[in-house]
Amino acid sequence: MKLNVLDVTLRDGSHSVRHSFTVEQVRAAAKGLNASGVPYFEVSHGDGLGGSSLQYGLSKTDELKLIEAAVSECTTSQVSVLLLPGIGTKEDLQSAASLGVKMARIATHVTEADIGAQHIELARSLGLKTVGFLMMSHMAPVEKIVEQAKLFESYGAEIVYVTDSAGAMLPKDVTERISALRQALQCEIGFHAHNNLSMALANTIAAIKAGATYVDGSMRALGAGAGNTQTEVMAAVLERLGYETGIDLYNLIDTANDVIAPLMQQPQEITGSSLILGYAGVYSSFLLHAQNAAEQFGIDERDILMKVGEMKAVGGQEDLIYEVAQNLASKREVVP
Amino acid sequence: MKLNVLDVTLRDGSHSVRHSFTVEQVRAAAKGLNASGVPYFEVSHGDGLGGSSLQYGLSKTDELKLIEAAVSECTTSQVSVLLLPGIGTKEDLQSAASLGVKMARIATHVTEADIGAQHIELARSLGLKTVGFLMMSHMAPVEKIVEQAKLFESYGAEIVYVTDSAGAMLPKDVTERISALRQALQCEIGFHAHNNLSMALANTIAAIKAGATYVDGSMRALGAGAGNTQTEVMAAVLERLGYETGIDLYNLIDTANDVIAPLMQQPQEITGSSLILGYAGVYSSFLLHAQNAAEQFGIDERDILMKVGEMKAVGGQEDLIYEVAQNLASKREVVP
């Protein structure tokens, strides 16, 4: 079976290098990905087009310059961009398309596909391969994901992704979600993993077995939290399992070794913090707040993250972290 | 279901830190493992008792001193030692037992259980919990592993391990091996993984589902090649899956963060080399020889490793690497 591998090193990896990618780095990585036969790769700020800001982190280099450099290296690979409505704009998408981008992935929280309707329609009208990207998919029950995926499909998405942003899923979670989508949708299905529970590749394989035909990875696992499915490892394992990816493994390993490894600012390990983020199933942006609140109230940051995870808090609800911390601290004081 | 987690940070991790563990480091790690309720942990040179040598790497500190320090910190955890017949001796095992070690794991190549017979018998006579440890288990067909495991059981082993030394297995490989052993043996079954293909934890879960009740891990994945199943991540995921391990997760994470992370000499990542070792299914000790031979004959080290893997070369057959390299180089010259 033919699978479509999409490498996100130059987008999700942006988080891990604090948005410091240079034109030279992107050019070298793009050249390697293209030569390796990776069919798609994504170039954007970690939080998508227009993400460069004080809130999400300023990019060292204008992402349009990075996209332009990437496109210029491609003879067979196609460049994708990510866009979160509310962060990126329709103008950003038009600019990217004019640079030769061939795919747009419109990303919303798993329960908010409707805010992506206009962007999906625009991407289609620009002639881009168009993807609906359901973030934090572990937080919604299967029926909700099916409902939201159908919305994306109804807007014109050609592929809908289940995105395990927090690296919180285990294979059975993936299987039930992807299987339900495969039954409910006509369009293709994708899966994007994070490795916080060390299950990124196992989850990706579960997704493929359940019907996903687009799978994301990043070289050296470079990405937010504990990183993504490691593209070069995935390519090797998929080959062992008998799937066709069209990827030249040695070329991809060389690119990971020679281009990506030297630019990493810290190893992409599963630290205590990234483990707890996956275990609690919360946004990585919650971590710093939890650490601050833990210090302020003299409690364990992990208790806060676990509680916030139970409450299914979402991005934007950072205030809740301090409330939870205060509650935990006051409860503790009651017990002598 | 109750599972027995065995932490190998202070033994397999010895490879990763070039056998430089100090008494203070071992004491701190042992204290943390004991406080975390990890039932067993192993302390030995990376290549087992008596491994300190020019060939296998000299230990900075006498392993008996490290074992003594570890035992002295234990109130509930029990200390294990690894012994490879031919490297360690019966005297080494007696010395370890006299220091208060409670478990001995006798490790042989997957086809050579018979060389462990006397050591298994000795370990039993010393009152130790006794394990037969079948290394490079990916190299033998299922029937061969069953035959060898039965030998270990007949010598008196109370647990037989399937050991994926090269990190070359995928879950179906694990399932078929452990299931066959579960049918054929009376004793308990263990599984030891390496993460070269990013599947260590997924393989460990497959092993448990097939009947393994002893599972190895190391904190921060510290171990040979791409490292082991990460103990603290395994503890979190097993809890999510409803298995009892008796482990205090926060305490274990603190030990990984505060004791192990600071002593790591390089990140425990899946590099291009460790990926190829797992993909080719060869001993990590072959890597340096393959690199030397590749340089000498002007070919790609990966081609050598893949070929040597196909030929199912084992430790001791390092000469074969140079023959393979010469053959590959001469073949290449024929083609214009």
Side-chain angles (χ1 to χ4, degrees):
Chain A
M1 198 178 79
K2 179 71 162 63
L3 291 170
N4 302 283
V5 170
L6 191 154
D7 185 273
V8 298
T9 313
L10 299 174
R11 199 276 304 164
D12 214 323
S14 166
H15 292 295
S16 189
V17 299
R18 295 160 208 217
H19 319 294
S20 66
F21 284 132
T22 64
V23 166
E24 292 67 32
Q25 289 170 342
V26 166
R27 199 178 282 283
K31 194 170 179 170
L33 288 163
N34 181 70
S36 306
V38 173
Y40 303 96
F41 65 91
E42 193 158 79
V43 185
S44 310
H45 183 279
D47 295 290
L49 293 178
S52 178
S53 59
L54 285 175
Q55 193 183 351
Y56 297 108
L58 287 167
S59 295
K60 184 172 176 183
T61 305
D62 181 342
E63 64 190 335
L64 295 179
K65 287 211 167 61
L66 301 181
I67 291 167
E68 190 175 26
V71 169
S72 74
E73 294 293 338
C74 290
T75 56
T76 56
S77 298
Q78 301 197 324
V79 175
S80 162
V81 290
L82 187 77
L83 185 145
L84 279 69
I87 298 179
T89 64
K90 292 182 199 167
E91 290 69 33
D92 292 328
L93 191 56
Q94 282 162 328
S95 303
S98 72
L99 294 174
V101 157
K102 299 294 183 194
M103 180 189 276
R105 307 207 295 176
I106 309 304
T108 74
H109 186 67
V110 63
T111 55
E112 296 177 3
D114 58 338
I115 68 167
Q118 294 178 38
H119 301 81
I120 295 276
E121 287 157 17
L122 173 61
R124 286 300 296 266
S125 77
L126 290 167
L128 304 176
K129 192 149 193 118
T130 301
V131 179
F133 198 77
L134 291 167
M135 298 187 294
M136 300 294 275
S137 277
H138 75 285
M139 292 184 77
V142 174
E143 317 79 64
K144 189 71 184 177
I145 293 182
V146 169
E147 170 201 295
Q148 297 291 307
K150 281 175 133 173
L151 283 180
F152 263 142
E153 188 177 45
S154 74
Y155 306 147
E158 296 158 280
I159 309 159
V160 175
Y161 260 73
V162 171
T163 301
D164 182 17
S165 313
M169 286 191 194
L170 298 178
K172 70 174 171 40
D173 307 317
V174 176
T175 301
E176 65 179 13
R177 282 164 173 77
I178 302 280
S179 300
L181 291 191
R182 190 56 287 148
Q183 291 228 317
L185 302 179
Q186 300 301 312
C187 70
E188 293 201 72
I189 298 168
F191 181 68
H192 175 99
H194 280 266
N195 201 38
N196 298 57
L197 297 181
S198 195
M199 295 298 279
L201 181 51
N203 286 344
T204 300
I205 293 167
I208 292 166
K209 287 184 175 166
T213 50
Y214 281 78
V215 285
D216 286 11
S218 64
M219 292 180 280
R220 286 289 175 126
L222 198 74
N228 301 98
T229 308
Q230 194 166 336
T231 311
E232 64 276 23
V233 181
M234 173 164 67
V237 170
L238 291 180
E239 192 171 314
R240 276 268 300 271
L241 291 173
Y243 295 104
E244 281 173 51
T245 63
I247 290 175
D248 178 323
L249 182 60
Y250 289 3
N251 226 318
L252 187 60
I253 290 175
D254 287 339
T255 307
N257 279 353
D258 302 341
V259 180
I260 304 307
L263 63 77
M264 292 174 73
Q265 296 177 355
Q266 70 275 321
Q268 200 70 63
E269 297 168 313
I270 307 178
T271 61
S273 298
S274 56
L275 168 56
I276 288 292
L277 291 172
Y279 187 56
V282 297
Y283 273 106
S284 51
S285 62
F286 282 15
L287 179 63
L288 202 59
H289 292 285
Q291 287 170 336
N292 290 339
E295 193 168 343
Q296 189 178 330
F297 293 99
I299 56 178
D300 193 316
E301 71 197 51
R302 295 172 290 203
D303 288 327
I304 304 173
L305 291 168
M306 291 304 291
K307 186 72 190 168
V308 170
E310 276 170 34
M311 296 167 75
K312 297 199 180 296
V314 298
Q317 295 186 302
E318 283 77 3
D319 287 352
L320 193 64
I321 293 169
Y322 294 89
E323 280 176 41
V324 164
Q326 194 167 18
N327 278 337
L328 287 171
S330 64
K331 271 185 205 152
R332 204 197 40 183
E333 282 159 16
V334 175
V335 184
Chain B
M1 198 178 79
K2 179 74 163 61
L3 291 170
N4 302 283
V5 170
L6 190 154
D7 186 90
V8 298
T9 313
L10 299 174
R11 198 277 303 164
D12 214 323
S14 165
H15 292 296
S16 189
V17 299
R18 294 158 209 218
H19 319 295
S20 66
F21 285 131
T22 64
V23 166
E24 293 68 33
Q25 289 170 342
V26 166
R27 199 177 283 285
K31 193 171 180 170
L33 287 163
N34 181 70
S36 305
V38 173
Y40 302 96
F41 66 90
E42 192 158 80
V43 185
S44 311
H45 183 280
D47 294 289
L49 293 178
S52 179
S53 59
L54 284 175
Q55 193 183 352
Y56 297 107
L58 287 166
S59 296
K60 184 173 175 182
T61 304
D62 182 341
E63 64 190 335
L64 294 179
K65 287 212 167 60
L66 302 180
I67 291 168
E68 188 174 28
V71 169
S72 74
E73 293 293 338
C74 290
T75 56
T76 55
S77 298
Q78 300 195 325
V79 175
S80 162
V81 290
L82 187 78
L83 184 145
L84 279 70
I87 297 179
T89 63
K90 292 182 198 166
E91 289 69 34
D92 292 328
L93 191 55
Q94 281 162 330
S95 303
S98 71
L99 294 173
V101 157
K102 300 293 184 195
M103 179 189 276
R105 307 208 297 176
I106 310 303
T108 74
H109 185 68
V110 62
T111 55
E112 296 177 4
D114 58 339
I115 67 167
Q118 294 179 40
H119 301 81
I120 295 276
E121 286 156 18
L122 173 62
R124 285 301 295 267
S125 76
L126 292 166
L128 304 176
K129 192 148 192 122
T130 302
V131 180
F133 199 76
L134 291 166
M135 298 188 293
M136 299 295 275
S137 277
H138 76 285
M139 292 184 76
V142 174
E143 317 79 63
K144 189 71 185 175
I145 293 182
V146 168
E147 169 201 295
Q148 297 291 305
K150 281 176 133 171
L151 283 181
F152 264 141
E153 189 178 43
S154 74
Y155 307 147
E158 296 159 280
I159 309 160
V160 175
Y161 261 73
V162 171
T163 301
D164 182 16
S165 313
M169 286 191 193
L170 297 178
K172 69 173 172 42
D173 306 317
V174 177
T175 301
E176 64 179 13
R177 282 164 174 76
I178 302 280
S179 301
L181 291 191
R182 189 57 287 147
Q183 291 228 318
L185 302 179
Q186 301 300 313
C187 70
E188 294 200 72
I189 298 167
F191 182 67
H192 174 99
H194 280 267
N195 201 38
N196 298 56
L197 296 180
S198 195
M199 295 299 278
L201 182 52
N203 286 345
T204 301
I205 293 168
I208 292 167
K209 287 185 175 165
T213 49
Y214 280 78
V215 286
D216 286 11
S218 64
M219 292 181 280
R220 286 288 177 127
L222 198 75
N228 301 97
T229 308
Q230 195 167 335
T231 312
E232 63 276 24
V233 180
M234 173 166 66
V237 170
L238 291 181
E239 192 171 314
R240 276 267 301 272
L241 291 173
Y243 296 103
E244 281 173 51
T245 62
I247 290 175
D248 178 322
L249 182 61
Y250 289 3
N251 226 318
L252 186 61
I253 290 175
D254 287 339
T255 308
N257 279 352
D258 301 342
V259 181
I260 304 307
L263 63 78
M264 292 173 72
Q265 296 177 355
Q266 71 274 320
Q268 199 70 62
E269 297 169 313
I270 306 177
T271 61
S273 297
S274 55
L275 168 56
I276 288 292
L277 290 173
Y279 187 56
V282 296
Y283 275 106
S284 52
S285 62
F286 282 15
L287 180 61
L288 200 61
H289 292 286
Q291 287 170 336
N292 290 340
E295 193 168 341
Q296 189 179 328
F297 292 99
I299 56 178
D300 193 315
E301 71 196 53
R302 294 171 291 203
D303 288 328
I304 304 174
L305 291 169
M306 292 303 292
K307 188 70 191 171
V308 170
E310 276 170 34
M311 296 167 77
K312 298 199 181 296
V314 298
Q317 295 187 302
E318 282 77 4
D319 287 350
L320 193 66
I321 293 170
Y322 293 89
E323 280 176 39
V324 164
Q326 193 169 18
N327 278 338
L328 287 171
S330 64
K331 271 184 205 153
R332 205 197 40 182
E333 281 158 17
V334 175
V335 185

